[in-house]
Amino acid sequence: MAMSVRNEDFWAESGILFYDPDDMPCPPGGMLGSLNVNGREVTLVGDSVASTSSTDLVRLIDGIHVTAVSGQTFTQGVQSLEELDLRRVVVFALGSYSPNLTTTDIEAVLEQTGSRQVMFVTNYNVNNPTQFDSNNALFRQFAQENDRVAVADWAGTVLSRDEPGNYVDATDGITPTVGAGSNLFAQTINTALRQFISNAQAGVNMGASGDNAGLALGFLMELGYNHTAAAAIVGNLQAESRNINPLLFEAGVGNSQANAMEGFRAIDANGNKTFVGGFGIVQWTSLGRVQALQNFADQNNLPVTSLELQLRFLAWELENLNRGGHTFGPSGLNAMSLEEATWLINRHFLTPCASFCTVGDTCLNHAGGCHNTVSPSNLSDLNEATTPTAITGFNRRLNFAQEAMGITPMSMQFGGGNCVGGVSVWSGVGFPHFSQNDPLWANIPYGHCGSTIGRGGCGLVSFAMMATALLNREVNPIEIINIPNIHNQFACGQGSYHTVTGVLARHFGLQHKHLGSEYGLGQNTDNNRIIEIINQYLRQGWLIHSTGGGRFGSGAAPYTVHGHFIAIRGVTETGMWLIADSAGNRDQNRLWDPREVIAAGMNKFNLQAVTR
């Protein structure tokens, strides 16, 4: 079956293809695909609220395991966890019969669920709207502090309706009405799970994560921005959205995170904008940009509140918007100083509704010089609004950008699997070769989403070869498969996250360096510079874990069109590379011209060095 490309004409300029995973012979690496919730990953534990909604839950979330007992208390639910065969994600929809929960109660759930992702569900009583406020605040607190915790805001969803009584039975004030209420409850859980699972796959939690700046920085550097330009963009995002929070609605506009969790819609059925104020990491506000953001989300079957979705849309805008003769791609921003790039992004890309200065700030003008300290009387000199409370400070953004220069970039991309056969060959001497399709382990499940080592284990298997060589003992994929599972390093249907290299290296006590972060590398980095750095480490005894293919190039060998991990294991006196490749039928002794490897689609940012 042929690949499906959605809305081809509109997105041709973006350079991003949208694949239907059902049409693909192998998992797509680093591509956006369908992220509908796979209910076979989810266990829901609940009381009468969930039991009333169970039919709608099963209909909407195919394969979900619902165990709900009317009248079940929070403590009884914790005890029931010991008896259940829990799946990767646990939805804990309890609290209706336990109105005074404590931190100890929440910690008991986390202890019983081990390393699984946990989603708590807020409670609501239509007859006593504040009854569960303290419980709901606890849920949100834990979600903010713990990457594996999220909240499905049932209370906020009901409150956002004009007539909450249509969705909650007034008899007890808590149980959803059959039909409208039960369906809305199931939709709330489904939407929250989509957000939670997609963000967990991207390495972020539901809201503002301490890692979001690093993820944004790494994402931009993979697109070719140097560290300075990426930091200028990230600094502006931090000023806009409080630690780059994809759920943020502008304060005071009558919206809440409940609206975002339910599913953001910018345009109503009549074509009218349904909110005022900014939304998301950029605080998108203008009708055209918000509609384009929503279209982008719909095209990709991703919630508009997803950090990855918003970063990808930001990247498209940076490359394609032209404002007043200014463009914002790597070719322009990479030549600027931090101050110049921060100012340009703020003033012409983000275009805050008032000034790019605040009272008391020293502000750059269009020529890159400085105005005097701004006061309300001379703001008009900048042709900007004069309301001091609406002014966005340049100095504050520059401070954020300077902080971003010290942040370690993180990768959001995936290294996918491949479908090439073969068996492992290693006699205990020389460099080991393991195939991900060796019958000994090819069909062993990798992750909790139906993938196997054979389909998506190239990152795992290539690292097993490196560890075997460095530790001088066999470290095969079966030995290490639980390490990425425990640390959530697999991407459902797509392979392993790039961060799997560091996780595995730490497990074995090996030294690890992310060269992309260390040297500020990106897709625009000169090929000779990439070769120089890799050879330097190879000659010092390091091995290089590399990803490529997918959206980074043709996907020719040694990479694949879906994204693929390899190990670069040596360099000859003439500068040729030796590669360890888990694609089984490739010549493991072939000498590779480094330029050929790079041209095949090397991800120049995700170069990771490992040694003893």
Side-chain angles (χ1 to χ4, degrees), residues 355-428:
S355 172
F356 52 89
C357 302
T358 189
V359 175
D361 268 356
T362 300
C363 303
L364 296 179
N365 64 18
H366 289 256
C370 289
H371 285 285
N372 293 325
T373 299
V374 175
S375 67
S377 62
N378 67 17
L379 276 172
S380 58
D381 294 345
L382 305 177
N383 298 314
E384 303 288 353
T386 59
T387 306
T389 57
I391 296 168
T392 306
F394 169 77
N395 281 358
R396 178 168 174 264
R397 291 166 184 264
L398 182 58
N399 287 338
F400 277 126
Q402 290 167 339
E403 290 175 5
M405 289 295 292
I407 293 174
T408 299
M410 298 175 63
S411 176
M412 289 186 67
Q413 299 305 308
F414 312 129
N418 66 86
C419 295
V420 183
V423 295
S424 303
V425 179
W426 188 52
S427 63

Side-chain angles (χ1 to χ4, degrees), residues 226 228-229 232 332-344 364 368 398:
N226 61 26
T228 300
L333 290 184
N334 285 355
M336 295 183 179
S337 67
L338 186 67
E339 292 81 1
E340 291 170 331
T342 302
W343 177 85
L344 184 71
L364 296 179
L398 182 58

Side-chain angles (χ1 to χ4, degrees), residues 184-233:
L184 183 62
F185 181 83
Q187 289 179 349
T188 301
I189 300 300
N190 184 55
T191 303
L193 281 171
R194 284 182 61 187
Q195 172 70 53
F196 191 28
I197 291 173
S198 66
N199 276 349
Q201 289 174 352
V204 295
N205 66 0
M206 285 294 293
S209 165
D211 292 337
N212 285 7
L215 287 164
L217 197 68
F219 179 83
L220 291 164
M221 290 175 69
E222 285 195 343
L223 295 177
Y225 293 93
N226 61 26
H227 202 155
T228 300
I233 298 170

Side-chain angles (χ1 to χ4, degrees), residues 101-425:
L101 297 175
T102 67
T103 298
T104 301
D105 294 317
I106 311 298
E107 290 173 342
V109 176
L110 300 185
E111 181 178 352
Q112 287 295 334
T113 53
S115 62
R116 295 172 179 85
Q117 295 167 251
V118 179
M119 175 175 286
F120 293 101
V121 181
T122 60
N123 296 284
Y124 180 68
N125 185 340
V126 72
N127 300 325
N128 183 5
T130 63
Q131 178 182 8
F132 299 111
D133 282 356
S134 62
N135 285 4
N136 296 342
L138 266 180
F139 297 154
R140 295 187 181 99
Q141 175 188 336
F142 272 79
Q144 290 174 354
E145 295 174 351
N146 192 318
D147 284 347
R148 71 179 182 95
V149 178
V151 173
D153 196 356
W154 167 238
T157 300
V158 175
L159 282 169
S160 70
R161 294 301 193 268
D162 293 334
E163 298 291 339
N166 292 337
Y167 304 94
V168 178
D169 192 327
T171 303
D172 64 6
I174 294 172
T175 306
T177 57
V178 176
S182 59
N183 183 58
L184 183 62
F185 181 83
Q187 289 179 349
T188 301
I189 300 300
N190 184 55
T191 303
L193 281 171
R194 284 182 61 187
Q195 172 70 53
F196 191 28
I197 291 173
S198 66
N199 276 349
Q201 289 174 352
V204 295
N205 66 0
M206 285 294 293
S209 165
D211 292 337
N212 285 7
L215 287 164
L217 197 68
F219 179 83
L220 291 164
M221 290 175 69
E222 285 195 343
L223 295 177
Y225 293 93
N226 61 26
H227 202 155
T228 300
I233 298 170
V234 168
N236 273 289
L237 295 181
Q238 287 176 306
E240 290 286 334
S241 54
R242 305 175 197 170
N243 297 322
I244 312 182
N245 184 353
L247 293 173
L248 186 67
F249 277 94
E250 191 169 0
V253 299
N255 288 283
S256 68
Q257 289 196 2
N259 300 108
M261 300 284 282
E262 179 189 15
F264 173 73
R265 285 292 178 271
I267 309 298
D268 66 19
N270 298 317
N272 299 313
K273 187 166 64 168
T274 61
F275 79 102
V276 291
F279 170 74
I281 63 173
V282 172
Q283 291 292 277
W284 286 284
T285 305
S286 69
L287 183 62
R289 291 175 81 182
V290 170
Q291 180 64 77
L293 171 66
Q294 183 64 66
N295 290 345
F296 192 96
D298 291 342
Q299 299 283 336
N300 291 281
N301 196 25
L302 276 171
V304 78
T305 50
S306 161
L307 176 63
E308 181 176 0
L309 184 282
Q310 292 186 18
L311 282 173
R312 289 187 179 278
F313 182 70
L314 166 67
W316 186 89
E317 283 198 324
L318 287 166
E319 285 285 356
N320 291 277
L321 288 185
N322 184 314
R323 297 192 155 193
H326 297 279
T327 57
F328 314 99
S331 59
L333 290 184
N334 285 355
M336 295 183 179
S337 67
L338 186 67
E339 292 81 1
E340 291 170 331
T342 302
W343 177 85
L344 184 71
I345 290 295
N346 181 28
R347 179 64 184 85
H348 288 287
F349 178 75
L350 296 172
T351 58
C353 60
S355 172
F356 52 89
C357 302
T358 189
V359 175
D361 268 356
T362 300
C363 303
L364 296 179
N365 64 18
H366 289 256
C370 289
H371 285 285
N372 293 325
T373 299
V374 175
S375 67
S377 62
N378 67 17
L379 276 172
S380 58
D381 294 345
L382 305 177
N383 298 314
E384 303 288 353
T386 59
T387 306
T389 57
I391 296 168
T392 306
F394 169 77
N395 281 358
R396 178 168 174 264
R397 291 166 184 264
L398 182 58
N399 287 338
F400 277 126
Q402 290 167 339
E403 290 175 5
M405 289 295 292
I407 293 174
T408 299
M410 298 175 63
S411 176
M412 289 186 67
Q413 299 305 308
F414 312 129
N418 66 86
C419 295
V420 183
V423 295
S424 303
V425 179

Side-chain angles (χ1 to χ4, degrees), residues 3-172:
M3 291 183 295
S4 300
V5 182
R6 303 190 179 105
N7 205 353
E8 189 171 354
D9 294 337
F10 181 78
W11 297 112
E13 292 181 79
S14 72
I16 301 175
L17 296 179
F18 302 89
Y19 295 104
D20 183 341
D22 292 336
D23 291 345
M24 300 295 288
C26 291
M31 293 293 183
L32 289 174
S34 172
L35 283 176
N36 285 331
V37 174
N38 178 1
R40 290 180 293 277
E41 300 178 0
V42 183
T43 300
L44 187 147
V45 180
D47 51 28
S48 58
V49 177
S51 63
T52 302
S53 308
S54 59
T55 300
D56 293 288
L57 284 164
V58 171
R59 172 184 54 80
L60 197 60
I61 308 172
D62 183 40
I64 188 173
H65 178 212
V66 178
T67 171
V69 179
S70 295
Q72 183 169 220
T73 66
F74 200 90
T75 300
Q76 289 170 337
V78 173
Q79 294 169 348
S80 75
L81 295 175
E82 299 179 10
E83 311 295 328
L84 296 173
D85 183 13
L86 297 178
R87 301 177 180 182
R88 184 169 72 90
V89 181
V90 176
V91 179
F92 205 72
L94 289 169
S96 296
Y97 297 92
S98 306
N100 297 301
L101 297 175
T102 67
T103 298
T104 301
D105 294 317
I106 311 298
E107 290 173 342
V109 176
L110 300 185
E111 181 178 352
Q112 287 295 334
T113 53
S115 62
R116 295 172 179 85
Q117 295 167 251
V118 179
M119 175 175 286
F120 293 101
V121 181
T122 60
N123 296 284
Y124 180 68
N125 185 340
V126 72
N127 300 325
N128 183 5
T130 63
Q131 178 182 8
F132 299 111
D133 282 356
S134 62
N135 285 4
N136 296 342
L138 266 180
F139 297 154
R140 295 187 181 99
Q141 175 188 336
F142 272 79
Q144 290 174 354
E145 295 174 351
N146 192 318
D147 284 347
R148 71 179 182 95
V149 178
V151 173
D153 196 356
W154 167 238
T157 300
V158 175
L159 282 169
S160 70
R161 294 301 193 268
D162 293 334
E163 298 291 339
N166 292 337
Y167 304 94
V168 178
D169 192 327
T171 303
D172 64 6

